[in-house]
Amino acid sequence: MSNILLTGSSRGIGAAIAEALTSAGHQVVGHGTASGVPADFADPNAPDRLWDTALDRLGGRIDVLINNAGVFEANPLDSADDAWLAGWERTMQVNLTASAVLCRRAVRHWQEQGRGGRIVNVASRAAYRGDSPAHWHYAASKAGMVAMTKTIARGYAAEGILAFAICPGFTMTGMAEDYLASRGGDKLLADIPLGRVASPEEVAETARWLATDAPASMTGAVIDVNGASYVR
């Protein structure tokens, strides 16, 4: 069984991933305000503290890192200059930089121990199709996550360090429900050929499989979970 650090585990997709992994017998250290280790990723030092705490709780060995934590906050183009820039920087810090810090700690940990490991980064279909005019920063952060995943996969595969990304579309979490309502609900659903948004459990099963069972030759792969609302 694997020792796993999972960020953003307190609700939605993260909570479903935690349930899928613990039900399969894996040891999971979660992160979030409602459960797991508290860490505010807007603080640049928080990811390092989270890694150290998780490493201690897991007996000095982490086998899998799953970066799921993120924010989806509107940042209107006509905001004041300083407010717009602050919104951009906050989303980049939470969604991308914090994940990068944890990926770096994971890669170095596995190199020091002379063994491999797995990274699963939860990105978004926005990485490829973009998002609303108020969410430039969100789309850019998720595109950065995909590019980072591919770079890690190419750079460290020979050391047994594997990296995968998941790109969900809308997922029926509280955040998605609010967004769907704000965008007209049925009209937005018409853009999804499957006719519904994904469930957290569908994304969680994808994450579980990549974290534990996906063949090594898949490293660098990006898995879409969006009901064919964006196909590549």
Side-chain angles (χ1 to χ4, degrees):
M1 294 294 103
S2 297
N3 289 351
I4 300 172
L5 170 57
L6 166 65
T7 73
S9 63
S10 63
R11 60 177 184 168
I13 291 171
I17 294 173
E19 174 63 24
L21 291 168
T22 55
S23 294
H26 301 288
Q27 295 293 316
V28 179
V29 169
H31 143 257
T33 55
S35 65
V37 181
D40 180 2
F41 282 175
D43 174 1
N45 297 312
D48 278 318
R49 290 197 299 267
L50 174 63
W51 177 269
D52 291 337
T53 300
L55 193 63
D56 181 64
R57 291 190 182 184
L58 292 169
R61 191 192 89 236
I62 293 174
D63 304 306
V64 179
L65 166 66
I66 303 177
N67 280 310
N68 171 70
V71 293
F72 182 79
E73 299 168 344
N75 197 25
L77 197 63
D78 58 1
S79 300
D81 291 351
D82 57 348
W84 188 87
L85 183 58
W88 177 279
E89 291 179 342
R90 169 177 159 78
T91 288
M92 288 297 174
Q93 172 61 41
V94 173
N95 290 8
L96 182 57
T97 305
S99 295
V101 170
L102 289 170
C103 285
R104 177 176 179 266
R105 292 295 301 268
V107 169
R108 289 175 62 84
H109 173 63
W110 296 325
Q111 288 177 326
E112 289 166 2
Q113 294 203 343
R115 61 185 183 82
R118 293 184 179 222
I119 292 169
V120 180
N121 289 324
V122 181
S124 168
R125 71 175 186 177
Y128 291 101
R129 62 171 271 171
D131 210 283
S132 81
H135 293 91
W136 291 14
H137 53 343
Y138 179 79
S141 71
K142 294 302 186 177
M145 180 175 272
V146 169
M148 177 174 70
T149 303
K150 291 177 178 290
T151 301
I152 293 168
R154 288 177 57 80
Y156 307 103
E159 298 173 65
I161 296 171
L162 313 179
F164 311 93
I166 304 171
C167 283
F170 288 111
T171 306
M172 194 49 71
T173 65
M175 183 172 65
E177 289 171 355
D178 293 342
Y179 189 79
L180 283 167
S182 73
R183 292 304 183 91
D186 291 343
K187 181 179 178 181
L188 192 146
L189 287 174
D191 188 42
I192 304 175
L194 187 61
R196 64 170 177 83
V197 299
S199 70
E201 291 73 21
E202 288 176 308
V203 182
E205 173 56 21
T206 306
R208 184 210 59 77
W209 183 70
L210 291 174
T212 61
D213 294 331
S217 289
M218 278 188 64
T219 190
V222 180
I223 306 299
D224 297 317
V225 187
N226 64 46
S229 60
Y230 187 76
V231 293
R232 294 177 288 119

